[in-house]
Amino acid sequence: MVDSPRYSKTLIQSIEEMGGIDYIFLTHRDDVADAHKYASRFGAKRIIHHGDKSAQPDAEIVFNEEMKLGDFTLIPTPGHTKGHSCLLYKNFLFTGDHLYGRNG
Ligand SMILES: [Fe+2]
């Protein structure tokens, strides 16, 4: 899972049908929502950059620098928040709030 929605029974059922969650990558402090509940429910490990750790102080994996985790690369991109990070998987980049559009 990348970032976390609010805890929802409907979503839990869908996630169960897809096989559960191993990791929850939190791009930054704004989008942690109910990550702790999903982690507890599925035995998932939460990942967050040290700069935003205060938003998820009991996260299982805290990183400081770019790091590989299996086929994924965790890339610190501070700016929006101190610990904002992106997640690269093959040719897909989960950008969190690192990239955004403006109207007008
Ligand atoms: Fe944000």
Side-chain angles (χ1 to χ4, degrees), residues 27-31 80-81 84 96-98:
T27 60
H28 66 301
R29 66 173 46 259
D30 299 345
D31 295 330
H80 178 66
T81 65
H84 190 286
D97 287 354
H98 181 64

Side-chain angles (χ1 to χ4, degrees), residues 67-74 87-92:
M67 135 182 188
K68 294 285 281 180
L69 184 63
D71 292 335
F72 295 86
T73 305
L74 290 51
L87 180 66
L88 180 64
Y89 175 72
K90 297 184 179 176
N91 291 330
F92 298 97

Side-chain angles (χ1 to χ4, degrees), residues 26-97:
L26 299 165
T27 60
H28 66 301
R29 66 173 46 259
D30 299 345
D31 295 330
V32 299
D34 290 327
H36 62 291
K37 292 181 181 177
Y38 286 98
S40 177
R41 172 64 183 78
F42 291 102
K45 293 184 171 90
R46 291 160 293 164
I47 305 166
I48 195 164
H49 188 275
H50 185 266
D52 281 5
K53 184 183 175 195
S54 62
Q56 205 69 186
D58 55 347
E60 290 76 16
I61 299 173
V62 178
F63 66 103
N64 284 310
E65 300 175 351
E66 183 171 311
M67 135 182 188
K68 294 285 281 180
L69 184 63
D71 292 335
F72 295 86
T73 305
L74 290 51
I75 306 169
T77 51
H80 178 66
T81 65
K82 185 177 178 185
H84 190 286
S85 301
C86 294
L87 180 66
L88 180 64
Y89 175 72
K90 297 184 179 176
N91 291 330
F92 298 97
L93 182 66
F94 297 90
T95 62
D97 287 354

